[in-house]
Amino acid sequence: MNERILMTQRKRKILNEECLAHGVAFHEVMGRSRKQPIAKARQSAMRRLRMELGLSLMSIGQYMNRDHTTVLHALRQPAPETRSVRTYRGWNLWLPE
């Protein structure tokens, strides 16, 4: 199978898992809503796309119809299950233990 198709399937799988975990619909996460449960699911999905697939901020932003700075903001937010901090260009990024 084409590697590009596999990557798209992996992205979709991560988003679907986060939607299920947070109890929100896929179209809500991909939409413009700023409601807290939706924003948390969106940030969590962005974090997983970065950590698990190693995607660039730009590619995550393009996939989720966001600017790369929005993705960077999501990575700066502490996840509920995280405690350790790593710096990236002077900014704190919260990472899973």
Side-chain angles (χ1 to χ4, degrees):
M1 204 180 254
N2 187 343
E3 188 171 327
R4 189 173 183 174
I5 293 171
L6 287 174
M7 183 61 75
T8 302
Q9 290 174 345
R10 288 184 208 141
K11 292 178 199 175
R12 180 72 185 226
K13 181 180 179 204
I14 287 173
L15 260 64
N16 284 332
E17 289 172 356
E18 289 304 317
C19 288
L20 285 173
H22 291 272
V24 297
F26 182 84
H27 72 274
E28 291 176 318
V29 170
M30 297 300 281
R32 303 306 295 171
S33 176
R34 292 171 30 187
K35 292 181 181 176
Q36 187 175 9
I38 298 168
K40 293 289 184 192
R42 187 181 298 128
Q43 289 177 351
S44 181
M46 289 178 181
R47 186 177 300 108
R48 284 188 60 195
L49 288 170
R50 177 71 169 179
M51 298 301 165
E52 293 177 23
L53 301 181
L55 299 177
S56 69
L57 303 180
M58 181 84 71
S59 64
I60 295 169
Q62 287 174 345
Y63 181 69
M64 298 188 74
N65 300 316
R66 299 288 186 286
D67 188 71
H68 74 280
T69 58
T70 303
V71 179
L72 185 57
H73 174 77
L75 296 176
R76 289 181 190 155
Q77 303 303 309
E81 69 280 356
T82 59
R83 297 195 203 299
S84 63
V85 177
R86 184 176 91 189
T87 58
Y88 173 76
R89 296 185 182 180
W91 294 94
N92 290 334
L93 300 180
W94 299 87
L95 303 173
E97 300 247 1

